[in-house]
Amino acid sequence: TPFWQIDFPLLNYRLAPWLTHAQSLDGLYYWTLVYWPESKDPWTNPLSVREYNGEGVLFYPGAAAGVAGPVATLRLKALRDGLEDYEYLILAGAAAPDIVAGIGRSWTDWDSDPEKLLAAREALAKLIVAGKK
């Protein structure tokens, strides 16, 4: 599956909603966004769970960065972009499965080229706009 730790490409986070759509699922569950063990600081030690860097950490505590509240990771922002892509897939309707098939075929088989994903998103946008005319 597209692993969700710091050591993997940001594309993995963006792909999850595409793969969710490909499997006709309507939700995505992640066990936690703020796993900050009391003895560790995710800013200085990303090892959160066993050998996984950043597992369960999509927000950082803001105090260390001078922010009142949590700080979103780039990984969370990539997931947000993927959720926006999912909305495009829904709006594209019957044409969406063909476009998804070129990006994410299954949870173990996907295209790892971010440019292809962006081209697929653009194709979705064009379909949506054309259908609104």
Side-chain angles (χ1 to χ4, degrees):
T1 63
F3 293 107
W4 277 20
Q5 291 88 40
I6 292 172
D7 306 322
F8 294 92
L10 281 175
L11 183 66
N12 287 10
Y13 299 83
R14 188 153 184 183
L15 276 172
W18 288 76
L19 298 172
T20 298
H21 189 278
Q23 300 296 311
S24 300
L25 303 173
D26 59 6
L28 183 64
Y29 176 76
Y30 189 56
W31 68 286
T32 186
L33 304 177
V34 292
Y35 183 69
W36 309 326
E38 290 184 27
S39 62
K40 295 181 183 174
D41 176 3
W43 289 100
T44 60
N45 182 359
L47 188 62
S48 54
V49 178
R50 292 178 291 211
E51 69 273 10
Y52 302 114
N53 288 323
E55 175 67 30
V57 181
L58 294 181
F59 284 103
Y60 285 86
V67 175
V71 175
T73 63
L74 290 176
R75 293 170 286 131
L76 181 64
K77 292 178 180 196
L79 177 58
R80 178 206 54 212
D81 290 342
L83 292 171
E84 290 172 357
D85 296 344
Y86 185 89
E87 292 175 14
Y88 275 33
L89 292 166
I90 297 300
L91 291 171
D98 292 336
I99 294 173
V100 171
I103 300 300
R105 294 161 289 281
S106 74
W107 286 98
T108 58
D109 180 24
W110 63 87
D111 196 305
S112 61
D113 182 354
E115 294 301 319
K116 289 184 181 175
L117 186 138
L118 294 176
R121 180 184 168 109
E122 186 174 333
L124 287 169
K126 287 178 181 177
L127 283 170
I128 294 164
V129 170
K132 299 291 182 188
K133 292 181 180 180

